[in-house]
Amino acid sequence: MEMAGVEFLDVSFGHTHRKPILDAFTLTVQAGETVALVGASGAGKTTALKLVNRLLVPDAGEVRVQGRDTREWDPIRLRRAVGYVIQDGGLFPHLTVADNIAVVPRLERWEPARVGSRVRELLDLIGLANDEYAARWPDELSGGQRQRVGVARALAADPPVLLMDEPFGALDPVTRRQLQGEFRRLQSRLRKTVLIVTHDIAEAIGLADRIGVLDAGRLIWCGPARSILQSDDDRVRRLVEAVTIAPPSPAEDVRA
């Protein structure tokens, strides 16, 4: 059986004297699989991501990355093995595009030639020409371009696991759909283990192999992405009915 990329085993997390943010949360993300977590604000989605790269430690249960409890990992090694993409890319404003992408490879003490080659490879992968964009500053980029560079930076050291926290939430609808299509293209090539947080059910259906629905810290539904449309759970149906599901356009229909 293929090793799981990320596992949550009966995980609980909260703050003292408050209702748990996550309560007996169990979920397995197989290697190469994309799973989206959806739910209302405060349901525990971002907390789940932060438990994966040990920004948080569970009060009970275990979080495993590639078969190892996160508490057994050196925190720095763990975070370099887990790419993290947030809204608007989260780029360092004082670094060029190339230097932003190169941050982790340089921390890993890659040879300069290897770093330069990786930067060029990733800029090509995300559709930004090296000669045109490598020397630009983040404030010279559009929102969609910053988000592309944020993805490239997260992929720079070829981590097996990728966490994405509302990665396209700050973008206009047209740019958002374009980058969703780019993500599908990239994932069809790279097959990373991806855990993505989104408030958008349509986005979750379009990007994920499976969807998990969180409500008040509990996983109330999990299954193949489009199966969520047939759920008879009232809490899940409220999320589904809040959006109109549109099929991808032919240009966005990416096949492996």
Side-chain angles (χ1 to χ4, degrees):
M1 182 177 178
E2 188 176 25
M3 178 182 289
V6 176
E7 295 175 280
F8 299 87
L9 304 174
D10 204 26
V11 170
S12 294
F13 176 84
H15 300 294
T16 306
H17 306 307
R18 296 184 185 178
K19 187 176 180 180
I21 298 171
L22 284 177
D23 188 9
F25 178 59
T26 295
L27 175 69
T28 297
V29 185
Q30 298 295 343
E33 183 182 30
T34 299
V35 172
L37 296 180
V38 301
S41 296
K45 304 182 300 297
T46 296
T47 295
L49 293 192
K50 291 180 177 179
L51 287 163
V52 174
N53 62 5
R54 204 171 146 181
L55 291 176
L56 299 173
V57 177
D59 297 325
E62 294 183 8
V63 181
R64 292 182 170 269
V65 175
Q66 295 192 298
R68 293 175 59 194
D69 191 316
T70 56
R71 287 168 290 205
E72 297 174 359
W73 283 79
D74 173 81
I76 301 302
R77 300 306 312 164
L78 174 62
R79 288 165 197 156
R80 292 181 188 175
V82 178
Y84 203 174
V85 183
I86 61 175
Q87 278 193 31
D88 203 32
L91 304 181
F92 297 117
H94 61 291
L95 297 180
T96 64
V97 165
D99 288 337
N100 263 284
I101 296 172
V103 166
V104 175
R106 286 174 177 160
L107 289 171
E108 292 288 277
R109 301 184 184 278
W110 287 18
E111 292 293 328
R114 184 184 177 196
V115 173
S117 176
R118 182 62 171 161
V119 168
R120 291 190 294 272
E121 177 188 3
L122 286 166
L123 283 172
D124 179 66
L125 190 68
I126 62 173
L128 297 178
N130 179 74
D131 291 345
E132 185 176 354
Y133 289 97
R136 289 195 186 185
W137 302 96
D139 64 3
E140 298 177 308
L141 305 178
S142 70
Q145 289 167 345
R146 286 194 298 272
Q147 200 63 49
R148 288 171 187 256
V149 175
V151 171
R153 185 178 64 183
L155 294 173
D158 199 23
V161 176
L162 186 63
L163 307 178
M164 306 182 79
D165 193 356
E166 293 284 356
F168 313 126
L171 302 174
D172 65 86
V174 172
T175 303
R176 183 170 184 153
R177 284 182 68 82
Q178 289 174 342
L179 288 192
Q180 289 167 353
E182 284 296 308
F183 171 82
R184 289 193 292 269
R185 179 183 66 81
L186 288 174
Q187 180 63 344
S188 72
R189 286 184 57 183
L190 302 177
R191 302 310 302 173
K192 299 292 183 183
T193 302
V194 181
L195 190 58
I196 182 169
V197 161
T198 178
H199 284 88
D200 187 337
I201 297 292
E203 179 170 84
I205 290 173
L207 300 183
D209 300 305
R210 287 188 298 135
I211 295 174
V213 180
L214 280 163
D215 183 74
R218 287 185 168 271
L219 187 68
I220 61 170
W221 186 92
C222 188
R226 295 200 71 87
S227 295
I228 196 171
L229 301 175
Q230 283 76 51
S231 174
D232 57 4
D233 187 299
D234 289 342
R235 296 164 296 180
V236 176
R237 292 217 57 79
R238 282 196 294 271
L239 289 173
V240 171
E241 291 167 359
V243 297
T244 299
I245 307 299
S249 67
E252 296 174 334
D253 186 11
V254 179
R255 294 177 172 85

